[in-house]
Amino acid sequence: MAMQDDIAAAARRLAPATSVVVLTGAGVSRESGIPTFRDVQTGLWARYDPAQLATRGGFLRDPQLVWAWYDYRRRMVEAAEPNAGHHAIVTLARLLPAVTVVTQNVDGLHQAAGSLRVLELHGSLRRFKCLGGGHDGFTAADFAGQAETPPHCPACGDLLRPDVVWFGEMLPEEVLAEATALCGACDLLLVVGTSGVVYPAAGLPGLARRAGAYVIDVNPQRDEIAGDADLFLQGPGGEVLPALAEAVRRTLG
Ligand code: BV8
């Protein structure tokens, strides 16, 4: 099937959907200039393995290095703009009765684009908590006056860390429970830009499909998710999603 036929088929599925979940990974932010974990780390960070840096052990071994990596990424995402794919997801939420974004991303670009219902499975680069976990909800403004890195918790003096889920850490319980319930009850799951290798997020498409959802996968490459998808739309999110939103708008008349 040519891509436009696939887009039309996807739109015919989306238009009547009463509960849609959009599950996104780093690929949806690629066209905003944010490298995915899969991309070779560029420049300064080329010699480091993200899977080693994105761990509690990595932070404890070298707090300054891991803090610098997250600070570099936070500044990158704060300077980035949502792309046409993020905006198309907002359009779908305006066209359809219930659309929830469940994202693995920590860049805050869905919220920046205007998505109102966003579940962040892996936390956010823009939020901080203390190492002991007793105090959270901090932003960079809360430690702007501190020269030392990593800065210290304004409430207890413990080291601050990014409020992201590191490898080996549990996902936020309520967020995962809500995302799991939504995927188990939705009639359509739209998966965009994830390699589907990081669990438990990677288990959501299979769970949705077994519960009866129609699963659409958007990715330039055929990935692990494609095997769990009813329809695979091959291409970058920044091109496929706007075409899909337009096709849904036309289908709804
Ligand atoms: C957990 C936040 C319970 C941090 C992230 C051994 C010990 C401990 C745990 C494990 C273990 N073995 C396995 C595990 C489980 C582990 C896991 O799944 N590991 C994998 C590597 C096998 N999971 C965990 O540890 C999770 N916690 O299980 O706790 C537990 C506890 C103790 C012991 C056991 C179990 C926590 C996982 C969360 C980790 N944190 N992010 C940070 O960002 O620094 S994950 C991070 O990597 C991202 O959030 C993302 O989810 C993931 C993958 O990143 P990428 O590959 O870059 O992105 P993505 O997968 O989305 O792929 C990019 C895709 O985009 C590609 O398909 C590409 O084709 C596509 N693309 C490219 N361009 C475009 C595009 N698509 C669309 N448009 C384009 N233009």
Side-chain angles (χ1 to χ4, degrees):
M1 264 173 126
M3 175 52 89
Q4 63 271 28
D5 294 347
D6 285 344
I7 295 274
R12 285 195 296 276
R13 288 284 179 167
L14 264 163
T18 56
S19 165
V20 174
V21 172
V22 185
L23 173 66
T24 64
V28 79
S29 296
R30 193 72 198 76
E31 288 144 282
S32 295
I34 309 296
T36 71
F37 271 47
R38 228 135 296 280
D39 294 336
V40 177
Q41 291 282 351
T42 51
L44 172 67
W45 300 102
R47 62 181 183 280
Y48 296 101
D49 172 8
Q52 289 311 311
L53 294 177
T55 63
R56 186 182 179 85
F59 182 74
L60 294 175
R61 262 192 305 281
D62 192 336
Q64 283 79 9
L65 175 75
V66 174
W67 179 269
W69 183 54
Y70 278 98
D71 199 47
Y72 157 73
R73 290 173 62 198
R74 174 177 62 87
R75 294 173 191 276
M76 186 194 310
V77 302
E78 286 180 344
E81 291 294 328
N83 63 62
H86 293 107
H87 291 298
I89 292 168
V90 175
T91 303
L92 284 172
R94 290 187 182 132
L95 290 169
L96 301 171
V99 174
T100 304
V101 176
V102 173
T103 189
Q104 302 171 82
N105 299 338
V106 293
D107 56 33
L109 290 177
H110 284 299
Q111 296 92 323
S115 284
L116 300 175
R117 289 162 49 90
V118 181
L119 295 177
E120 292 176 313
L121 294 175
H122 296 157
S124 171
L125 290 170
R126 303 178 192 228
R127 289 194 305 273
F128 301 85
K129 63 184 178 184
C130 63
L131 194 58
H135 306 99
D136 62 9
F138 299 114
T139 66
D142 294 311
F143 54 79
Q146 296 189 37
E148 203 184 336
T149 60
H152 291 264
C153 174
C156 70
D158 196 355
L159 280 186
L160 281 181
R161 52 160 288 184
D163 191 1
V164 297
V165 179
W166 279 329
F167 287 100
E169 290 189 322
M170 306 298 278
L171 276 58
E173 210 175 319
E174 333 69 63
V175 173
L176 180 59
E178 188 177 354
T180 304
L182 280 168
C183 288
C186 70
D187 42 22
L188 193 141
L189 175 71
L190 177 61
V191 185
V192 187
T194 184
S195 59
V197 297
V198 173
Y199 284 83
L204 293 174
L207 178 148
R209 190 138 193 253
R210 287 190 297 277
Y214 188 83
V215 179
I216 299 170
D217 182 34
V218 177
N219 197 312
Q221 292 162 17
R222 190 170 287 278
D223 51 33
E224 308 274 323
I225 306 284
D228 267 330
D230 296 288
L231 183 57
F232 174 56
L233 301 179
Q234 183 152 14
E239 287 171 27
V240 172
L241 293 174
L244 186 53
E246 178 52 23
V248 170
R249 199 183 55 73
R250 276 200 312 274
T251 306
L252 289 170

